Amino acid sequence: MANSDLRGIVTAAATPVDASFEVDVPRLAQHCARLLEEGCTFVSTFGSTGEGASLSTAQKIAAMAVLKAEGADLGRHIPAIMTPSVDEAAGMAKAAAVLGCRAILVLPPFYYGAGDAGIVAFVDEMLKRAGRPDIDLLLYNIPQLSRFAYTPALVDAMQAAFGEQVVGLKDSTGDVANGVMLAERYPNLSIFTGDDRVLTPLLAAGGAGMIGGMPNLFAADLCAIYDANGNDTAAPLVEKQAARIAAVDNFGGIGALKAGLAARDGHPGWCRAVPPLQPIGANAAKQLFEAFGRTGAFLTENV
C-alpha cells in the first residue's frame, strides 16, 4: 500500500466550543495532543463527531491555522470537508494542503439528488478552485446522513478521475459485510470503519483501521483492539465497546461524548454543542455514566 501510514485508530475528534459557539482552539489542541499521546495515529477534525456541518469553513480554517501556529503537527490531522458548496469545499481543501494536513476526508455534497457523475464533478471543481493541491483524498461514506453512498461504482469513478490521489475510504455504515467487501475489493486503499464493532473483521480482511468518535473517550481500548490485528483475543474489549456505543446512542450521541469529556476533564464547557445540537441533561448524563461504569469505565457527574 503506497500510503501505508494511513492505518490504525484515528479519532474523529469532538470540537470544544466557547459560549459564543466559536471553536475553543486551546482546548481542541490539548484534546488532539492527548489522543495522539494515547496511541491514535491521526486525528480527524471537523467531521460528523466534530460538528463540522455546523461550523463555517472560515471558523474551521481559522482554528486550523491557530493549531499550526501553536505547534500542532498538522501532518497528523485529517480534517473533513462537509459542505454542499463547492467554493466552501475548495477553501477547506486549499487550507488543509497549505497547512500541511495529511489528507482530507471528503463527504459527498448533500441536499441535491446528485448522481455519481455529479459527485465526481463536485470534487473535480473543488480541486480545481483549490489550485489542484497535492493532498490525499479519503472518501467519507455515511449515507444515513449525507444521503449518498460511495458505492464500488462511485469509488471506481473517483479513482478513474483522480488516480492515486484517492487513498482510502471511511465506511460509517456499520455494515460488516460492506466494510469487508471494500477491504477485499480495494487492497491498495486504506479502508477504515467508523464503527468499533466492525473493526476486528475489517482488520482480518486487510482493512486499515478505524476513524470514529468513541476514541475521544476510549482511545486506549480501541488501540488495543487494533493491535490484536483481527484476532478474536480482542473480543472482550469489543464487547465493552459495543455496550459503550449503545449507551452513547441511547443517551445523546455527540452530546453524550461531550458530557463524558466534560466529566473526564472536569471542564463543563465541553458540554456545549453548536445549535441545533443541544447538551444532554443531568438525568441522561447520570444514566450514561452508569452504563459506562458497568463496562469498567468510571466517570462521575461532577460538572
Side-chain angles (χ1 to χ4, degrees):
M1 186 181 297
N3 295 279
S4 57
D5 65 311
L6 288 174
R7 304 189 64 83
I9 299 300
V10 182
T11 302
T15 304
V17 294
D18 64 21
S20 299
F21 305 116
E22 296 293 334
V23 179
D24 183 344
V25 182
R27 192 159 299 279
L28 178 61
Q30 292 170 4
H31 183 50
C32 290
R34 176 173 180 164
L35 292 167
L36 295 173
E37 288 169 2
E38 290 179 345
C40 296
T41 49
F42 298 94
V43 291
S44 181
T45 51
F46 307 124
S48 298
T49 303
E51 300 171 76
S54 295
L55 295 165
S56 72
T57 297
Q59 286 175 301
K60 290 179 275 194
I61 291 174
M64 290 160 54
V66 174
L67 287 172
K68 174 86 169 183
E70 294 297 322
D73 179 6
L74 293 198
R76 297 184 71 183
H77 284 224
I78 302 172
I81 291 179
M82 301 185 65
T83 175
S85 163
V86 69
D87 202 57
E88 295 285 306
M92 191 72 176
K94 181 176 181 178
V98 168
L99 292 168
C101 296
R102 174 61 186 84
I104 46 178
L105 184 64
V106 184
L107 186 78
F110 50 88
Y111 191 81
Y112 290 112
D116 288 3
I119 292 171
V120 172
F122 177 92
V123 175
D124 186 58
E125 184 65 19
M126 173 190 83
L127 295 173
K128 176 183 175 183
R129 294 190 189 193
R132 298 289 175 191
D134 182 19
I135 190 167
D136 288 337
L137 308 179
L138 280 167
L139 311 179
Y140 186 8
N141 190 45
I142 185 167
Q144 62 270 37
L145 293 180
S146 70
R147 299 177 58 220
F148 305 104
Y150 277 112
T151 62
L154 180 52
V155 174
D156 291 347
M158 294 288 287
Q159 287 188 301
F162 308 113
E164 292 183 355
Q165 193 168 8
V166 177
V167 297
L169 180 146
K170 173 188 176 183
D171 180 39
S172 288
T173 63
D175 184 334
V176 174
N178 194 63
V180 168
M181 177 275 293
L182 290 167
E184 293 177 344
R185 181 180 175 111
Y186 299 105
N188 292 325
L189 296 183
S190 295
I191 304 298
F192 294 91
T193 181
D195 192 318
D196 313 32
R197 297 161 292 193
V198 179
L199 181 55
T200 294
L202 180 71
L203 291 171
M210 174 185 175
I211 304 174
M214 294 301 287
N216 280 284
L217 288 173
F218 304 109
D221 284 350
L222 268 304
C223 288
I225 294 171
Y226 175 80
D227 289 342
N229 197 31
N231 192 298
D232 283 340
T233 57
L237 279 178
V238 174
E239 186 176 346
K240 285 183 179 182
Q241 283 304 115
R244 292 164 181 169
I245 291 170
V248 167
D249 289 345
N250 288 339
F251 299 113
I254 293 169
L257 285 175
K258 286 193 148 185
L261 289 167
R264 187 196 69 183
D265 292 356
H267 183 73
W270 259 120
C271 289
R272 293 190 197 99
V274 181
L277 296 182
Q278 295 288 292
I280 67 172
N283 185 55
K286 180 176 183 293
Q287 294 180 72
L288 172 71
F289 299 156
E290 288 173 349
F292 283 169
R294 291 192 288 272
T295 71
F298 298 101
L299 296 174
T300 178
E301 192 181 358
N302 60 1
V303 294

